[in-house]
PDB file of all heavy atoms in Angstrom:
ATOM      1  N   GLU A  94       4.147 -13.878  -2.188  1.00  0.00           N
ATOM      2  CA  GLU A  94       5.140 -14.788  -2.778  1.00  0.00           C
ATOM      3  C   GLU A  94       4.955 -14.931  -4.283  1.00  0.00           C
ATOM      4  O   GLU A  94       5.926 -15.016  -5.033  1.00  0.00           O
ATOM      5  CB  GLU A  94       5.028 -16.174  -2.118  1.00  0.00           C
ATOM      6  CG  GLU A  94       5.492 -16.221  -0.678  1.00  0.00           C
ATOM      7  CD  GLU A  94       5.089 -17.517   0.015  1.00  0.00           C
ATOM      8  OE1 GLU A  94       4.200 -18.230  -0.507  1.00  0.00           O
ATOM      9  OE2 GLU A  94       5.659 -17.805   1.080  1.00  0.00           O
ATOM     10  N   ARG A  95       3.710 -14.926  -4.740  1.00  0.00           N
ATOM     11  CA  ARG A  95       3.413 -15.268  -6.127  1.00  0.00           C
ATOM     12  C   ARG A  95       3.159 -14.061  -7.026  1.00  0.00           C
ATOM     13  O   ARG A  95       2.994 -14.228  -8.245  1.00  0.00           O
ATOM     14  CB  ARG A  95       2.193 -16.190  -6.174  1.00  0.00           C
ATOM     15  CG  ARG A  95       2.429 -17.523  -5.482  1.00  0.00           C
ATOM     16  CD  ARG A  95       1.274 -18.460  -5.711  1.00  0.00           C
ATOM     17  NE  ARG A  95       1.582 -19.801  -5.234  1.00  0.00           N
ATOM     18  CZ  ARG A  95       0.862 -20.875  -5.541  1.00  0.00           C
ATOM     19  NH1 ARG A  95      -0.195 -20.763  -6.325  1.00  0.00           N
ATOM     20  NH2 ARG A  95       1.208 -22.060  -5.071  1.00  0.00           N
ATOM     21  N   ALA A  96       3.085 -12.867  -6.462  1.00  0.00           N
ATOM     22  CA  ALA A  96       2.768 -11.682  -7.264  1.00  0.00           C
ATOM     23  C   ALA A  96       3.802 -11.471  -8.365  1.00  0.00           C
ATOM     24  O   ALA A  96       5.011 -11.668  -8.160  1.00  0.00           O
ATOM     25  CB  ALA A  96       2.694 -10.450  -6.367  1.00  0.00           C
ATOM     26  N   SER A  97       3.323 -11.060  -9.521  1.00  0.00           N
ATOM     27  CA  SER A  97       4.223 -10.741 -10.629  1.00  0.00           C
ATOM     28  C   SER A  97       4.909  -9.405 -10.366  1.00  0.00           C
ATOM     29  O   SER A  97       4.534  -8.666  -9.441  1.00  0.00           O
ATOM     30  CB  SER A  97       3.420 -10.655 -11.930  1.00  0.00           C
ATOM     31  OG  SER A  97       2.529  -9.543 -11.885  1.00  0.00           O
ATOM     32  N   ALA A  98       5.886  -9.084 -11.204  1.00  0.00           N
ATOM     33  CA  ALA A  98       6.585  -7.799 -11.049  1.00  0.00           C
ATOM     34  C   ALA A  98       5.607  -6.639 -11.212  1.00  0.00           C
ATOM     35  O   ALA A  98       5.673  -5.650 -10.469  1.00  0.00           O
ATOM     36  CB  ALA A  98       7.716  -7.705 -12.067  1.00  0.00           C
ATOM     37  N   ALA A  99       4.687  -6.765 -12.162  1.00  0.00           N
ATOM     38  CA  ALA A  99       3.709  -5.699 -12.394  1.00  0.00           C
ATOM     39  C   ALA A  99       2.755  -5.565 -11.198  1.00  0.00           C
ATOM     40  O   ALA A  99       2.426  -4.450 -10.777  1.00  0.00           O
ATOM     41  CB  ALA A  99       2.919  -5.977 -13.664  1.00  0.00           C
ATOM     42  N   GLN A 100       2.327  -6.694 -10.667  1.00  0.00           N
ATOM     43  CA  GLN A 100       1.446  -6.652  -9.503  1.00  0.00           C
ATOM     44  C   GLN A 100       2.167  -6.050  -8.297  1.00  0.00           C
ATOM     45  O   GLN A 100       1.610  -5.228  -7.566  1.00  0.00           O
ATOM     46  CB  GLN A 100       0.949  -8.062  -9.165  1.00  0.00           C
ATOM     47  CG  GLN A 100      -0.080  -8.596 -10.148  1.00  0.00           C
ATOM     48  CD  GLN A 100      -0.404 -10.060  -9.907  1.00  0.00           C
ATOM     49  OE1 GLN A 100       0.467 -10.850  -9.542  1.00  0.00           O
ATOM     50  NE2 GLN A 100      -1.652 -10.437 -10.119  1.00  0.00           N
ATOM     51  N   ARG A 101       3.422  -6.429  -8.112  1.00  0.00           N
ATOM     52  CA  ARG A 101       4.182  -5.909  -6.980  1.00  0.00           C
ATOM     53  C   ARG A 101       4.403  -4.399  -7.123  1.00  0.00           C
ATOM     54  O   ARG A 101       4.361  -3.658  -6.138  1.00  0.00           O
ATOM     55  CB  ARG A 101       5.506  -6.658  -6.871  1.00  0.00           C
ATOM     56  CG  ARG A 101       6.187  -6.478  -5.531  1.00  0.00           C
ATOM     57  CD  ARG A 101       7.253  -7.528  -5.295  1.00  0.00           C
ATOM     58  NE  ARG A 101       6.643  -8.830  -4.998  1.00  0.00           N
ATOM     59  CZ  ARG A 101       6.944  -9.956  -5.620  1.00  0.00           C
ATOM     60  NH1 ARG A 101       7.844  -9.961  -6.582  1.00  0.00           N
ATOM     61  NH2 ARG A 101       6.356 -11.078  -5.277  1.00  0.00           N
ATOM     62  N   ALA A 102       4.607  -3.954  -8.355  1.00  0.00           N
ATOM     63  CA  ALA A 102       4.790  -2.520  -8.582  1.00  0.00           C
ATOM     64  C   ALA A 102       3.524  -1.752  -8.227  1.00  0.00           C
ATOM     65  O   ALA A 102       3.578  -0.672  -7.624  1.00  0.00           O
ATOM     66  CB  ALA A 102       5.181  -2.266 -10.032  1.00  0.00           C
ATOM     67  N   ARG A 103       2.383  -2.311  -8.596  1.00  0.00           N
ATOM     68  CA  ARG A 103       1.119  -1.641  -8.273  1.00  0.00           C
ATOM     69  C   ARG A 103       0.873  -1.662  -6.764  1.00  0.00           C
ATOM     70  O   ARG A 103       0.389  -0.680  -6.191  1.00  0.00           O
ATOM     71  CB  ARG A 103      -0.044  -2.305  -9.011  1.00  0.00           C
ATOM     72  CG  ARG A 103      -1.405  -1.666  -8.722  1.00  0.00           C
ATOM     73  CD  ARG A 103      -1.414  -0.167  -8.994  1.00  0.00           C
ATOM     74  NE  ARG A 103      -2.591   0.483  -8.450  1.00  0.00           N
ATOM     75  CZ  ARG A 103      -2.621   1.723  -7.993  1.00  0.00           C
ATOM     76  NH1 ARG A 103      -1.519   2.483  -8.016  1.00  0.00           N
ATOM     77  NH2 ARG A 103      -3.740   2.242  -7.530  1.00  0.00           N
ATOM     78  N   ILE A 104       1.200  -2.771  -6.114  1.00  0.00           N
ATOM     79  CA  ILE A 104       1.052  -2.833  -4.660  1.00  0.00           C
ATOM     80  C   ILE A 104       1.925  -1.785  -3.987  1.00  0.00           C
ATOM     81  O   ILE A 104       1.524  -1.168  -2.995  1.00  0.00           O
ATOM     82  CB  ILE A 104       1.387  -4.245  -4.138  1.00  0.00           C
ATOM     83  CG1 ILE A 104       0.346  -5.255  -4.627  1.00  0.00           C
ATOM     84  CG2 ILE A 104       1.426  -4.259  -2.606  1.00  0.00           C
ATOM     85  CD1 ILE A 104       0.683  -6.698  -4.299  1.00  0.00           C
ATOM     86  N   ALA A 105       3.122  -1.545  -4.533  1.00  0.00           N
ATOM     87  CA  ALA A 105       3.996  -0.509  -3.975  1.00  0.00           C
ATOM     88  C   ALA A 105       3.344   0.867  -4.079  1.00  0.00           C
ATOM     89  O   ALA A 105       3.434   1.689  -3.155  1.00  0.00           O
ATOM     90  CB  ALA A 105       5.339  -0.520  -4.695  1.00  0.00           C
ATOM     91  N   GLU A 106       2.672   1.127  -5.207  1.00  0.00           N
ATOM     92  CA  GLU A 106       1.958   2.402  -5.361  1.00  0.00           C
ATOM     93  C   GLU A 106       0.814   2.494  -4.348  1.00  0.00           C
ATOM     94  O   GLU A 106       0.591   3.553  -3.741  1.00  0.00           O
ATOM     95  CB  GLU A 106       1.415   2.523  -6.781  1.00  0.00           C
ATOM     96  CG  GLU A 106       2.490   2.642  -7.846  1.00  0.00           C
ATOM     97  CD  GLU A 106       1.939   2.596  -9.257  1.00  0.00           C
ATOM     98  OE1 GLU A 106       0.743   2.261  -9.430  1.00  0.00           O
ATOM     99  OE2 GLU A 106       2.700   2.889 -10.195  1.00  0.00           O
ATOM    100  N   ILE A 107       0.107   1.379  -4.170  1.00  0.00           N
ATOM    101  CA  ILE A 107      -0.986   1.363  -3.201  1.00  0.00           C
ATOM    102  C   ILE A 107      -0.448   1.595  -1.795  1.00  0.00           C
ATOM    103  O   ILE A 107      -1.065   2.302  -0.986  1.00  0.00           O
ATOM    104  CB  ILE A 107      -1.746   0.027  -3.283  1.00  0.00           C
ATOM    105  CG1 ILE A 107      -2.474  -0.094  -4.622  1.00  0.00           C
ATOM    106  CG2 ILE A 107      -2.744  -0.114  -2.127  1.00  0.00           C
ATOM    107  CD1 ILE A 107      -3.074  -1.469  -4.877  1.00  0.00           C
ATOM    108  N   ALA A 108       0.711   1.010  -1.485  1.00  0.00           N
ATOM    109  CA  ALA A 108       1.309   1.201  -0.169  1.00  0.00           C
ATOM    110  C   ALA A 108       1.577   2.676   0.101  1.00  0.00           C
ATOM    111  O   ALA A 108       1.286   3.186   1.194  1.00  0.00           O
ATOM    112  CB  ALA A 108       2.603   0.394  -0.056  1.00  0.00           C
ATOM    113  N   THR A 109       2.110   3.378  -0.891  1.00  0.00           N
ATOM    114  CA  THR A 109       2.377   4.812  -0.737  1.00  0.00           C
ATOM    115  C   THR A 109       1.080   5.582  -0.516  1.00  0.00           C
ATOM    116  O   THR A 109       0.997   6.472   0.353  1.00  0.00           O
ATOM    117  CB  THR A 109       3.106   5.342  -1.983  1.00  0.00           C
ATOM    118  OG1 THR A 109       4.354   4.654  -2.117  1.00  0.00           O
ATOM    119  CG2 THR A 109       3.358   6.837  -1.870  1.00  0.00           C
ATOM    120  N   GLN A 110       0.050   5.245  -1.288  1.00  0.00           N
ATOM    121  CA  GLN A 110      -1.247   5.908  -1.133  1.00  0.00           C
ATOM    122  C   GLN A 110      -1.864   5.591   0.233  1.00  0.00           C
ATOM    123  O   GLN A 110      -2.425   6.475   0.893  1.00  0.00           O
ATOM    124  CB  GLN A 110      -2.181   5.460  -2.263  1.00  0.00           C
ATOM    125  CG  GLN A 110      -1.732   5.924  -3.640  1.00  0.00           C
ATOM    126  CD  GLN A 110      -2.417   5.165  -4.772  1.00  0.00           C
ATOM    127  OE1 GLN A 110      -2.855   4.032  -4.602  1.00  0.00           O
ATOM    128  NE2 GLN A 110      -2.504   5.795  -5.937  1.00  0.00           N
ATOM    129  N   ALA A 111      -1.742   4.335   0.656  1.00  0.00           N
ATOM    130  CA  ALA A 111      -2.293   3.932   1.951  1.00  0.00           C
ATOM    131  C   ALA A 111      -1.568   4.637   3.088  1.00  0.00           C
ATOM    132  O   ALA A 111      -2.198   5.049   4.077  1.00  0.00           O
ATOM    133  CB  ALA A 111      -2.195   2.423   2.108  1.00  0.00           C
ATOM    134  N   GLU A 112      -0.262   4.773   2.978  1.00  0.00           N
ATOM    135  CA  GLU A 112       0.509   5.463   4.013  1.00  0.00           C
ATOM    136  C   GLU A 112       0.063   6.910   4.153  1.00  0.00           C
ATOM    137  O   GLU A 112      -0.052   7.431   5.277  1.00  0.00           O
ATOM    138  CB  GLU A 112       1.996   5.380   3.685  1.00  0.00           C
ATOM    139  CG  GLU A 112       2.578   3.977   3.899  1.00  0.00           C
ATOM    140  CD  GLU A 112       3.859   3.723   3.123  1.00  0.00           C
ATOM    141  OE1 GLU A 112       4.305   4.624   2.362  1.00  0.00           O
ATOM    142  OE2 GLU A 112       4.412   2.621   3.269  1.00  0.00           O
ATOM    143  N   ALA A 113      -0.233   7.562   3.022  1.00  0.00           N
ATOM    144  CA  ALA A 113      -0.701   8.948   3.067  1.00  0.00           C
ATOM    145  C   ALA A 113      -2.080   9.033   3.725  1.00  0.00           C
ATOM    146  O   ALA A 113      -2.338   9.934   4.537  1.00  0.00           O
ATOM    147  CB  ALA A 113      -0.752   9.526   1.654  1.00  0.00           C
ATOM    148  N   CYS A 114      -2.961   8.092   3.389  1.00  0.00           N
ATOM    149  CA  CYS A 114      -4.296   8.081   3.986  1.00  0.00           C
ATOM    150  C   CYS A 114      -4.221   7.774   5.485  1.00  0.00           C
ATOM    151  O   CYS A 114      -4.978   8.333   6.275  1.00  0.00           O
ATOM    152  CB  CYS A 114      -5.176   7.047   3.290  1.00  0.00           C
ATOM    153  SG  CYS A 114      -5.629   7.481   1.607  1.00  0.00           S
ATOM    154  N   ALA A 115      -3.310   6.874   5.860  1.00  0.00           N
ATOM    155  CA  ALA A 115      -3.147   6.545   7.274  1.00  0.00           C
ATOM    156  C   ALA A 115      -2.688   7.776   8.051  1.00  0.00           C
ATOM    157  O   ALA A 115      -3.155   8.035   9.170  1.00  0.00           O
ATOM    158  CB  ALA A 115      -2.150   5.413   7.439  1.00  0.00           C
ATOM    159  N   ALA A 116      -1.781   8.547   7.456  1.00  0.00           N
ATOM    160  CA  ALA A 116      -1.273   9.745   8.120  1.00  0.00           C
ATOM    161  C   ALA A 116      -2.368  10.795   8.302  1.00  0.00           C
ATOM    162  O   ALA A 116      -2.393  11.513   9.306  1.00  0.00           O
ATOM    163  CB  ALA A 116      -0.110  10.328   7.322  1.00  0.00           C
ATOM    164  N   SER A 117      -3.286  10.869   7.336  1.00  0.00           N
ATOM    165  CA  SER A 117      -4.355  11.866   7.402  1.00  0.00           C
ATOM    166  C   SER A 117      -5.602  11.336   8.100  1.00  0.00           C
ATOM    167  O   SER A 117      -6.520  12.098   8.411  1.00  0.00           O
ATOM    168  CB  SER A 117      -4.731  12.332   5.990  1.00  0.00           C
ATOM    169  OG  SER A 117      -5.309  11.268   5.247  1.00  0.00           O
ATOM    170  N   GLY A 118      -5.652  10.017   8.319  1.00  0.00           N
ATOM    171  CA  GLY A 118      -6.820   9.409   8.959  1.00  0.00           C
ATOM    172  C   GLY A 118      -8.019   9.315   8.046  1.00  0.00           C
ATOM    173  O   GLY A 118      -9.161   9.228   8.513  1.00  0.00           O
ATOM    174  N   SER A 119      -7.785   9.293   6.730  1.00  0.00           N
ATOM    175  CA  SER A 119      -8.885   9.237   5.768  1.00  0.00           C
ATOM    176  C   SER A 119      -9.310   7.785   5.553  1.00  0.00           C
ATOM    177  O   SER A 119      -8.755   7.074   4.712  1.00  0.00           O
ATOM    178  CB  SER A 119      -8.447   9.857   4.434  1.00  0.00           C
ATOM    179  OG  SER A 119      -9.482   9.765   3.474  1.00  0.00           O
TER     180      SER A 119
END
Side-chain angles (χ1 to χ4, degrees):
E94 290 168 344
R95 297 187 171 194
S97 66
Q100 287 172 324
R101 196 163 286 128
R103 180 54 193 148
I104 293 173
E106 293 173 349
I107 293 171
T109 299
Q110 294 164 335
E112 288 159 358
C114 290
S117 66
S119 178

